[in-house]
Structure formats: structure tokens, C-alpha cells
Amino acid sequence: MKGLAPTELGVMLLSLALLIGVARALGELARRFRQPAILGELLAGVLLGPTLFGYFAPELQGFLFPQEGPNAVVLDGIASLAIVLFLLVAGMEVDLSIVWKQGFAALKVGVLGTIIPFVIGVACAYLMPQAMGRQTDADPLVFALFVGTAIAISALPVIAKTLMDLDLYRTDFGMVVVSAAIFNDLVGWTIFAIILGMMGTHSAGIGIGTTLILTIAFAIFVLTIGRMAMHRCLPFLQAYTHYPGGVLGFAVTMGLLGAAFTEFAGIHAIFGAFLVGVALGDSSHLSERTRVMIDEFVSFIFAPLFFASIGLKVNFVTHFDLPLVLMVLLVATVGKLFGAVLGARWGGFPTRERWAIGFAMNARGAMEIILGTLALEAGIIRQRLFVALVIMAIVTSAVGGPLIRRVLSRRQSQRLMPLLSAKTYLPNLIAETRWDAICELARVAADQAGLSAETIIELAWEREQLAATGIGHGVAIPHARLAELKAPVVVMGVSEAGISFDAPDGQPAHVILLLVTPSEEPTIQLELSADIANMFRDPQCLERIQRASNYTQLMAALKAAAASKQE
Amino acid sequence: MKGLAPTELGVMLLSLALLIGVARALGELARRFRQPAILGELLAGVLLGPTLFGYFAPELQGFLFPQEGPNAVVLDGIASLAIVLFLLVAGMEVDLSIVWKQGFAALKVGVLGTIIPFVIGVACAYLMPQAMGRQTDADPLVFALFVGTAIAISALPVIAKTLMDLDLYRTDFGMVVVSAAIFNDLVGWTIFAIILGMMGTHSAGIGIGTTLILTIAFAIFVLTIGRMAMHRCLPFLQAYTHYPGGVLGFAVTMGLLGAAFTEFAGIHAIFGAFLVGVALGDSSHLSERTRVMIDEFVSFIFAPLFFASIGLKVNFVTHFDLPLVLMVLLVATVGKLFGAVLGARWGGFPTRERWAIGFAMNARGAMEIILGTLALEAGIIRQRLFVALVIMAIVTSAVGGPLIRRVLSRRQSQRLMPLLSAKTYLPNLIAETRWDAICELARVAADQAGLSAETIIELAWEREQLAATGIGHGVAIPHARLAELKAPVVVMGVSEAGISFDAPDGQPAHVILLLVTPSEEPTIQLELSADIANMFRDPQCLERIQRASNYTQLMAALKAAAASKQE
């Protein structure tokens, strides 16, 4: 078989390592700043692509990321595989039953939140094609439909993530938004399939009509018979093949088959992978373990690879067109807010929630970028519109969370981990009694808060006398509320021998967490206590903390405990 | 970027789906027959390649798996990526500390078990190059060294798997074999690196000397400074990045970087990935969860893809040369057995264990096939030698387990799962008392064993009177030993209401397992009891079984319980 020459293989491996490595690093950096990881991943491509790396070292950049030849073909193939797997996973996150349950309220938000921005987008693109960046020889109608779709699709994963961060995901409000976004996704992709059919670039002897019929038939088949067949297959696979590898191989094979079918039928491969993902994810027999495994591998290897590879395609500086960027941002935001807020009003939501729904639905993400990539390759849009679409997706995603928080005056419930620090972690408590332990911890807390240790000790001890704060599982949470405090302070001490805090299970406390919170915000202490009790319910958590010998190892232990609890 | 046209993308997705899907299916089939999965995966390639599919439908086969053009390049690139990731995982399984602990005994087996087959292989290939299938224009010395190496490398993963299946992995015997195989691996790959250097095919201006120096320097660097640096990095990644995705991305990036380095240095990419894997796997900070996740994804998606793609390269029927196959088998087996048995004798092992060590070390696998693929592509060997090497690897791997079992008269300890069947599973017990339950289960057992139900009831009840068989956690295991029985019978009944079997924890039994075993083999019942007690220690196991409503769901539940226990 004619394959890659050794140097080409070396280039392939090095370019993949750079794309994944830089994308992961910047993705993590974005998360530090409470931004979606995709922002950092896209930036990695901009750094490695013609925009920056190519500007300073065009020859080396051309050697590592050539625009044509075997390496370009291989990278394109692997990036296509990556996006197919990403859509398979995205489909698996869609829960059809949620869509039905939320009923009309969600449908109203979904319908208006899709149709209005779509119509506004189509109108703008049709009336001012030049200003919006149409390729001169592209069909005006196809172009207008594309812009409408690109503006109408909300980013389901970004929305879900934002709602989870705000503890709103499992609320009625959250479920309406998620259902509306799922509806939005399905409609958006169907319209996009039609556009691709109209473009006719894929027609290897297949007309638009045939493509549309095949697509609709395929969608119906996968979501009915296919869904049931896979639901029946999964327990067999789990029972009689290697677990979870058997199901893993099955899911990927099905996703690739679906992708190949839609690609041959004349619409893009990702649509088939997405539908197979929806059908698979809907099965209650798909174990959480398998789901997490495929999700992690795809989200942390393939997705960064794909999003970083986008930046390689375009020079983001030379094709940056400020008026166009502002125009796209304006049309997209106004259209979506108008539609979603109107839908929410129709659905009977109070004013504040209407706006929160609007901001949530306004988040765009991966889908716009994928659509943009396809349209760019198909020669429908110019590079400057592509750049504008990517920037619009990033901006709307980044501002969604803060805006919802402000509109609903919503605060995230206080968690333990963000309050810990190397300075407030005492891995070897000297104290042997309850009083000594409280004193030892209170002195550290006083330093941290800039208050007197005596006050903290006095208040904590007073509280301790009312009822001992050992909560069992080897943990105690003495606490004090101070009027003059601005932000909560937590000090964690670990005692090897254990100190009795009169826990209901009679066990001595090995981990003692002194919680010092502002009197003005009485709920913080309750939220912290709940988070701690929840964490230590798993006996492994205590063991892991006891094994840690420095702050980094402590963080690693708490992360591992949090992750194993999720499953 | 010039990439794949839509039809080419469709072909890529379909060919990947076929390779992964068929390889997984046949891999599972091989496991059913207690053979290594790689056997089925290789067979998948033979079926989809020129040997079978190409014989019956050459045009369609050529369309789906073209020998040149963009699709051939992409498939080659993805297969190369797959084997790099596979070697990364294989390296992670190597535990350097085990190699040191076993000390001289392992070293003796390792040294003689590597050198003797290597010398015999080199001698045969040098003296009869034509009979052994040398390419006419290949260097005789390079060819001889290649054959020696291909015959000298044992298959560490196959050996580890065989030992685990026989419950010998954690014994001293097992650890000596594993350590010797690790030594073997390291030496074999170093020799292979030298051969590739001598071939000079990779020399993009790099001479043999430079390649060797770079290789050795890289190996020393990765296993010392690199290993320590990664060991230090891991807790940071686990603490401050997404878990386990952060570590996952890091491991893959490092593996690709190592692979790219060795590829550019003039030896094959897989050597670098393997070394990085060894260094990473050695860190105690690499959590089991991350390890399992990367292992599953690579073993069940990428490895099947790679091994299946091998069958595409060669027609296994037209290039099948019986004398050569027998010759390779003979030289390989005699050389390896002679060397390993001699080494084991030197190391002070008794006669039977010497032969068991010999049969274990004789197993060849993935490495021979990878070496063969490289040698075939580099034009050192003919296709008929490649076919002979693949067959040799399969045969030696397949016979290893049964031969060790025979030599050591070793029987696998009896597990519960293989004894369950749809016929002996009663999801809804009618019985409400202990006596009724034993009668109900005994009747099914009697049918199954062809014996009288009365005898079983009598014996089981007698045993029950001695001491109740409730073992707690909602499980009871009444049992009877019968002289006239050949093979053990287990009947599983699930009672929704629960039946008291006087368990130490006072809980009624919801799962009642009647064990009927032959009197001649008293250990079987103890092994079964131990397996059951171990399974039900996790409270989730009982819950999962209670949720199952048919036999397939029961199997799925037990598989999931077994898997979650492993972590």
C-alpha cells in the first residue's frame, strides 16, 4: 500500500502532537478564566496557523502544516474523523425524553428562538450579500439560507455547561432551555442538510430530491427502528463481549457507518454521526461508564484536534473585518434574543427568566464553526465571514454565563475546593484535642482573614458547645460566623491519630475543616457543609486525603474523589 | 487546505467502520474460543483484503480499500497513528520495578531466551536466504538480523494475558516470565533500531552512527530525566486540569512527541511511543482510572483497526508457502524453547516449570507482525515470509496457554459466571421459605444434571442444618456435593421479598445460588463460594441483579459489577 514516507510520518506525528498539546494547554487556560475550553482550542490553531506561527516562521509552518500533499490529506482525514466522533458524542448527550416532557413551553421557545433569528439572518444576507461576505459566484439563496442557519443554531453543549455551572441544569427553567436547544439543533441540522443538497457539490449523480428523501428516510429510520435495534443490542453486547470495550467498538462502528451513509447520500457525514449518537444515547442500556469513557477520549483528544485545525485554515488577522464582525454579532444577538424572549413570553415565563432564557439560547459554539468550515470549503462564504462567524460564536458563548447570573441575581452555591489553598492546608495537625485543634486552625484562619484569632476561637468554641461538629466518616466541621468578614475562609487540618469530635458514628475525625463565614450570608456555611458531607460519603475520599502529603497531591485526591462520585 | 473530496471522505468512513466493526466482531469470536483477540482481528483484514473480499469482488474491494491515492494515504496515516498509540499503551503496561525485583533468575531466562533464538534465527537466515524468503536485492546481513530479531521477541501482552487467565500472573513464576519478557522487549527493539539504522532507508541526511547515538541518548533521557519530569507533572495535571481528560491529553501528546522524535532520528516512531509509555506507566501518580480509559479506547478502537489493516496488505492465499511456514515455525519454536528452558535451568527452576517458562516465552504476537510490516515496506522480506511470520505469531500465541496448563497440570479456579445459563436462572422465585427455595432450585438443578431432585434436596438440606448458608449482603449459597456428578451445576434464584437464610448481618437473601458440585473435586465449591462472596461485597452488585428482568440483562449486570470492581 502506498503510504507516507518516513519524513511525512514524522511530520504527521509532530503536527498532531502540537495541535493536541497546545489546544489542551490553552483549553485549560480558558477554563481557569471560567471560559469554555473551545475558546482556547480555537486560539491554539490561530497560534499554530498562518496568523501567528506562519507570520514569524512561514517555512517551518509550511513544513509542519502544509496546505497540500500527503500530510495535508492525512490531517484533513484525521480532522474529519475527529469531528464525526465529536458529533457522535454530542448526539449521545441529547435526551429525547426531556424534549417531550417540557412540552409546549419548550416548544414555544424552541420554535420562535429558531425561526425568528433564521428569518432575520436570511433577510440580511439576501438583501446585503456583499456586506455579509458572500463569495461572488455563490448562489444568493443558498448563501442567505446558510447565514440564517448559522445564526439560528444555539450551542447545546455550551448551554448545558453554563447551566450546570450555575446549578440551574436540573431546574424547570434549565430543562426548558435545554429542550428548546435540542429542538433548535434538530431543526438547524435538517435545514443545513437541505442547503447542502441544494448546493449540489456532493451530487455524485444524486439530485437534491434524492438527497432530501434519503436524508429524511435515514433520520426516521435511525430514530425509530435503528434506535430500538440498538437498544436491544446493547445488553447483549454488554453481557457477551468485553466490557466496556465491546460497546465502545460498537458505538464507534455505528457512528462511522451512519456518517458514511449521509456522506454518500449527499449531505455531510456529521449529520449521520449525530443521529446515531441521539439514537444510541437514548438507550437506557448504555452504561454511564461507557458514556464517560467515549466522552472523555473524544472531548480531550479529538475535539481539541479538530478545533485547533480550524485555525490552520484562515489567517485571522488579514481576514479580520471589524464592520462585518460587528454586523454578524448584532444580527445574531438581536435575532436570537428577540426570538427566544418572545417565545419565553408566549410560554408564560416572568420577565427576568425570559431574558435569562434569551441569553442562554444566544450562546453559539461548535456548530457555527463546523457549518462555517463546510461553507468555506464549499466556496459559499469568504474567509472574512468565516472569521466573523468564529468570533461571534466565541463572544456569545463567553458572555452567556455572566449575563444570566446578573439577570437572575444568581450566585453559584459555595463549594469547598475553590476555598482551599496551600496556605490554609495543614497536612500534619499537632493538636490532640478538640480545643487545641480549633485553636491551631483558627490561628491560620485569622492570618488569612486579617482578624483576631481569639474572636474566631471564641465563636467556634461556643458553637461547638451547642452541638459537636463531627459529622462522621472521620470528618469534623467546626465553624464560626463573623460580622466583619467579607469572604469565607476555610482551613483544613489532617490529623493522623484522629481527634474525637463526638461524631454520630463514634469515629475520631482525621480531617478537620474550620469554616469561617460572613454573618451576612448565612447560606454559605450551609452550602459548604452540604458539599463536604456529600464528598466524604464515599469512604475513598478520606483515604485519598490521608495519603496526600502536599497541597498538589491533596488537590489531585479531591479531583479524583469528585470524578469517581460523578459516575 | 486541500483535503478529501466528499466521495473520498465517504470511502474513508466506510472503510474505517468495516475494519473496526469486523475486527471487533471476530476478535470477540476468538475470545469465545479462548484465543487471543488479535487472532480474530488479523482474520478480519484477511477477509476484507485481497485474499477473500478482493477475490470475489475485486472492483468493490479496490474502491473501498484502494492501494494508492488519497484514501490509501489517509488509511496508512490513521493505521500509523493507531500503532503508535498501541505501543504507548503497551509501554505503560511495562513495570520496570518488577524487572529489578526478579533479579538474576529473570535475567538468565531473559538473556538466554533472547540471545539463543536470535543467533539461531540469524544463522538460518544467513545460510539459506532464498529458502527463508529474502528479497533478492536486500542486504544479506540486514535480512539475517531481521529474521533473528523477529524470532527472538516474545509477545509481552499475550504472555501477560495468558498468565492472568491461568491465575499465575501474580506468582513468582509469573513475575519471572513477565520480567524476562520485558527484558526481551527492550533488547529486541534496540536491535531492531540498529537494523533500521543499517538499512539507511530513513536517513534524511542522517547516518547510522548518528541514528544510533540519538536513539540511545533518547532512551536514556526518557527513562531517567523524562520519567522523573513526567512523574512530577502528573499530580499537577491531575490537580489543576480537567480530570481525567487533562492527563489523557498529556499522555497522548507526549507519546506522539516521542514517536515523532524517533521517526525523525531515523528509527521507527513506535520505539519512541513505547519508551514514553514505559516512563509514564512507571509513575505511581498515573491513576488507574486514566490508565484503564486510554487502554480501553486504544485496545478496542485503534488496535483492531491496525491489526485488521495488516490483512489488506497481502494476499494470504497466493503467498502461502507451506515449507516456509513450517520452517519459520520450527526455527522460532526450537530456538525460543531451547534458549528459555536453558535459561530457566540456569536460574534454578524445576523441570516442569522450565518447560512452562519456555512455552510462555514462545508466544509471539503484535511485535513480530509490526516488524514484519516494516520489513515488508522497506523491501527486506518477501510477502511469503511476511505471511509465514504472521502465521507463526498466531500459532505460538494460541498454543501457549493450553501447553502451560498441561505441563503444570494447572486448572483455572472455578468462577461463577461461566456456570450460569438461561435455563438455570429463575428471576422470580415463588418460594417464601428456605426449604421451599432449596426445593425449587434443586428441581432445576436435577433436570440440568440428569439426577434425582430428592437426593440434591436431601443433601443440601442436611448441609443447611449444620450451619445456615446466608453469607450476608442479601445472598445465600446452599450447596450439595454429589459423587455421581461430572461437572458443577449452579442454579440462581432471585426473590423479590427475600427469604431468611440466617445471614450474619440479619438481612434476608434476595439472591439464592444453589451450588451442586462433584464430591471428587472438593475445591470447586470453595472457589465458587469465594468468587460469589467477592462479587457481592460491592452492594451495587445485588442492586444490579435485582433490576435485571431477563438472562441477558443479568449477564450485563454481572459484567458491569466485575468491571467496576477492577478499578
Side-chain angles (χ1 to χ4, degrees), chain B residues 36-329:
Chain B
I38 185 180
L39 204 151
E41 293 165 1
L42 287 167
L43 194 62
V46 175
L47 295 186
L48 293 172
T51 318
L52 198 84
F53 184 23
Y55 181 77
F56 288 106
E59 279 194 24
L60 189 57
Q61 204 273 342
F63 173 70
L64 281 177
F65 303 100
Q67 295 286 321
E68 40 193 83
N71 276 108
V73 172
V74 169
L75 190 57
D76 184 59
I78 294 178
S80 301
L81 180 63
I83 191 61
V84 163
L85 292 176
F86 179 71
L87 264 284
L88 177 69
V89 169
M92 282 163 65
E93 280 171 20
V94 171
D95 188 341
L96 287 179
S97 62
I98 291 181
V99 182
W100 300 137
K101 262 184 227 150
Q102 294 306 319
F104 279 110
L107 196 65
K108 286 166 184 169
V109 174
V111 170
L112 289 194
T114 307
I115 291 179
I116 293 181
F118 179 73
V119 171
I120 293 180
V122 169
C124 287
Y126 199 75
L127 297 177
M128 0 176 230
Q130 291 313 314
M132 294 292 281
R134 175 164 72 87
Q135 271 291 17
T136 343
D137 55 347
D139 184 291
L141 182 61
V142 169
F143 175 73
L145 288 175
F146 163 76
V147 172
T149 314
I151 275 170
I153 300 187
S154 297
L156 179 58
V158 177
I159 292 175
K161 187 70 177 36
T162 310
L163 292 171
M164 281 174 198
D165 286 348
L166 295 169
D167 281 342
L168 286 167
Y169 190 72
R170 298 270 161 217
T171 63
D172 273 3
F173 166 81
M175 281 298 115
V176 165
V177 175
V178 169
S179 317
I182 290 172
F183 172 82
N184 190 281
D185 249 22
L186 292 175
V187 172
W189 279 104
T190 312
I191 299 176
F192 189 67
I194 298 174
I195 301 177
L196 283 176
M198 286 173 70
M199 278 166 31
T201 49
H202 289 226
S203 58
I206 297 182
I208 304 177
T210 320
T211 293
L212 274 183
I213 293 170
L214 280 176
T215 306
I216 293 167
F218 176 76
I220 293 173
F221 173 79
V222 169
L223 293 179
T224 55
I225 300 174
R227 187 168 64 109
M228 266 155 47
M230 290 196 271
H231 184 68
R232 295 263 167 96
C233 270
L234 284 174
F236 279 93
L237 286 169
Q238 203 163 317
Y240 303 116
T241 67
H242 184 97
Y243 176 80
V247 177
L248 207 62
F250 176 74
V252 170
T253 304
M254 286 296 127
L256 290 173
L257 280 180
F261 182 87
T262 49
E263 184 73 34
F264 279 121
I267 50 168
H268 197 271
I270 47 183
F271 190 63
F274 180 75
L275 280 177
V276 171
V278 172
L280 261 176
D282 200 54
S283 170
S284 55
H285 293 317
L286 186 71
S287 77
E288 196 53 29
R289 194 179 146 85
T290 315
R291 206 186 286 261
V292 167
M293 197 163 275
I294 186 167
D295 186 9
E296 293 279 322
F297 209 90
V298 170
S299 305
F300 292 93
I301 307 290
F302 287 112
L305 178 64
F306 173 76
F307 291 116
S309 76
I310 289 167
L312 300 178
K313 290 179 204 288
V314 179
N315 188 321
F316 277 75
V317 168
T318 50
H319 296 292
F320 182 83
D321 176 350
L322 188 63
L324 182 60
V325 168
L326 293 177
M327 166 85 103
V328 168
L329 251 176

Side-chain angles (χ1 to χ4, degrees), chain B residues 433-508:
Chain B
T433 67
R434 230 196 297 183
W435 166 259
D436 287 345
I438 288 177
C439 292
E440 198 175 344
L441 296 170
R443 267 176 228 119
V444 178
D447 275 359
Q448 207 60 19
L451 298 170
S452 108
E454 278 63 40
T455 324
I456 299 176
I457 295 173
E458 197 179 302
L459 286 165
W461 189 247
E462 207 171 84
R463 165 67 191 76
E464 196 67 31
Q465 302 297 79
L466 284 173
T469 57
I471 60 167
H473 301 292
V475 183
I477 42 171
H479 50 261
R481 288 183 188 167
L482 275 84
E484 57 268 54
L485 200 66
K486 287 275 179 295
V489 173
V490 172
V491 185
M492 178 187 237
V494 179
S495 161
E496 210 189 321
I499 301 167
S500 170
F501 270 79
D502 272 354
D505 61 2
Q507 299 296 315

Side-chain angles (χ1 to χ4, degrees), chain B residues 380-556:
Chain B
I380 301 176
I381 62 171
R382 293 210 189 143
Q383 294 186 313
R384 58 199 183 92
L385 178 55
F386 179 74
V387 169
L389 281 174
V390 172
I391 294 173
M392 183 272 282
I394 291 173
V395 172
T396 52
S397 291
V399 300
L403 284 174
I404 298 173
R405 214 176 292 151
R406 173 155 299 189
V407 168
L408 295 183
S409 355
R410 183 85 189 180
R411 187 173 61 70
Q412 246 178 299
S413 89
Q414 184 66 56
R415 295 288 169 85
L416 174 65
M417 278 187 70
L419 291 180
L420 295 175
S421 75
K423 282 188 194 156
T424 58
Y425 167 55
L426 309 178
N428 298 301
L429 272 188
I430 303 156
E432 288 174 3
T433 67
R434 230 196 297 183
W435 166 259
D436 287 345
I438 288 177
C439 292
E440 198 175 344
L441 296 170
R443 267 176 228 119
V444 178
D447 275 359
Q448 207 60 19
L451 298 170
S452 108
E454 278 63 40
T455 324
I456 299 176
I457 295 173
E458 197 179 302
L459 286 165
W461 189 247
E462 207 171 84
R463 165 67 191 76
E464 196 67 31
Q465 302 297 79
L466 284 173
T469 57
I471 60 167
H473 301 292
V475 183
I477 42 171
H479 50 261
R481 288 183 188 167
L482 275 84
E484 57 268 54
L485 200 66
K486 287 275 179 295
V489 173
V490 172
V491 185
M492 178 187 237
V494 179
S495 161
E496 210 189 321
I499 301 167
S500 170
F501 270 79
D502 272 354
D505 61 2
Q507 299 296 315
H510 291 281
V511 172
I512 299 120
L513 289 149
L514 175 65
L515 319 178
V516 187
T517 58
S519 315
E520 280 186 10
E521 294 187 70
T523 54
I524 289 187
Q525 186 215 310
L526 300 176
E527 289 162 5
L528 273 174
S529 309
D531 189 35
I532 294 167
N534 189 22
M535 268 175 66
F536 283 90
R537 200 165 295 148
D538 178 2
Q540 286 214 323
C541 182
L542 180 66
E543 282 170 35
R544 288 183 208 250
I545 291 175
Q546 286 182 298
R547 273 202 301 267
S549 59
N550 60 41
Y551 180 65
T552 299
Q553 288 179 13
L554 172 75
M555 284 287 114

Side-chain angles (χ1 to χ4, degrees), chain A residues 171-194:
Chain A
T171 62
D172 273 2
F173 166 80
M175 281 296 113
V176 165
V177 175
V178 169
S179 318
I182 291 172
F183 172 82
N184 189 282
D185 248 23
L186 292 176
V187 172
W189 280 103
T190 314
I191 299 176
F192 188 66
I194 298 172

Side-chain angles (χ1 to χ4, degrees), chain A residues 357-370:
Chain A
I357 289 175
F359 291 131
M361 298 287 291
N362 192 36
R364 316 300 209 289
M367 289 305 171
E368 271 64 32
I369 293 167
I370 295 165

Side-chain angles (χ1 to χ4, degrees), chain A residues 4 76 239 241 289 559 567, chain B residues 4 76 241 289 559 567:
Chain A
L4 296 170
D76 184 60
T241 67
R289 195 180 145 85
K559 274 285 184 72
E567 273 194 6
Chain B
L4 297 169
D76 184 59
T241 67
R289 194 179 146 85
K559 274 284 185 72
E567 272 195 5

Side-chain angles (χ1 to χ4, degrees), chain A residues 122-320:
Chain A
V122 169
C124 288
Y126 200 76
L127 297 178
M128 2 174 226
Q130 291 314 313
M132 292 292 280
R134 174 165 73 87
Q135 272 289 17
T136 344
D137 55 347
D139 185 292
L141 183 61
V142 169
F143 175 73
L145 288 175
F146 163 76
V147 172
T149 314
I151 275 170
I153 301 187
S154 297
L156 179 58
V158 177
I159 292 175
K161 187 69 178 32
T162 310
L163 292 171
M164 281 175 198
D165 287 348
L166 295 169
D167 282 341
L168 286 168
Y169 191 71
R170 300 265 161 221
T171 62
D172 273 2
F173 166 80
M175 281 296 113
V176 165
V177 175
V178 169
S179 318
I182 291 172
F183 172 82
N184 189 282
D185 248 23
L186 292 176
V187 172
W189 280 103
T190 314
I191 299 176
F192 188 66
I194 298 172
I195 301 176
L196 282 175
M198 286 172 69
M199 277 166 29
T201 50
H202 288 226
S203 59
I206 298 182
I208 305 178
T210 320
T211 293
L212 274 185
I213 292 170
L214 280 175
T215 306
I216 293 165
F218 177 76
I220 292 172
F221 172 80
V222 168
L223 293 180
T224 55
I225 301 174
R227 189 170 62 110
M228 266 155 48
M230 288 195 272
H231 184 67
R232 295 262 166 99
C233 269
L234 284 174
F236 277 94
L237 286 168
Q238 202 163 319
Y240 303 117
T241 67
H242 183 98
Y243 176 80
V247 177
L248 206 63
F250 176 74
V252 171
T253 305
M254 287 296 125
L256 290 173
L257 280 180
F261 181 86
T262 48
E263 183 73 33
F264 279 122
I267 49 168
H268 197 270
I270 46 182
F271 190 63
F274 180 76
L275 280 177
V276 170
V278 173
L280 260 175
D282 200 54
S283 170
S284 54
H285 293 317
L286 185 71
S287 77
E288 196 52 29
R289 195 180 145 85
T290 315
R291 204 186 289 257
V292 167
M293 197 163 275
I294 187 167
D295 186 9
E296 292 279 323
F297 210 90
V298 170
S299 304
F300 291 93
I301 307 289
F302 287 112
L305 179 63
F306 173 75
F307 291 116
S309 77
I310 289 167
L312 301 177
K313 292 180 205 286
V314 178
N315 188 321
F316 278 74
V317 169
T318 52
H319 296 291
F320 183 82

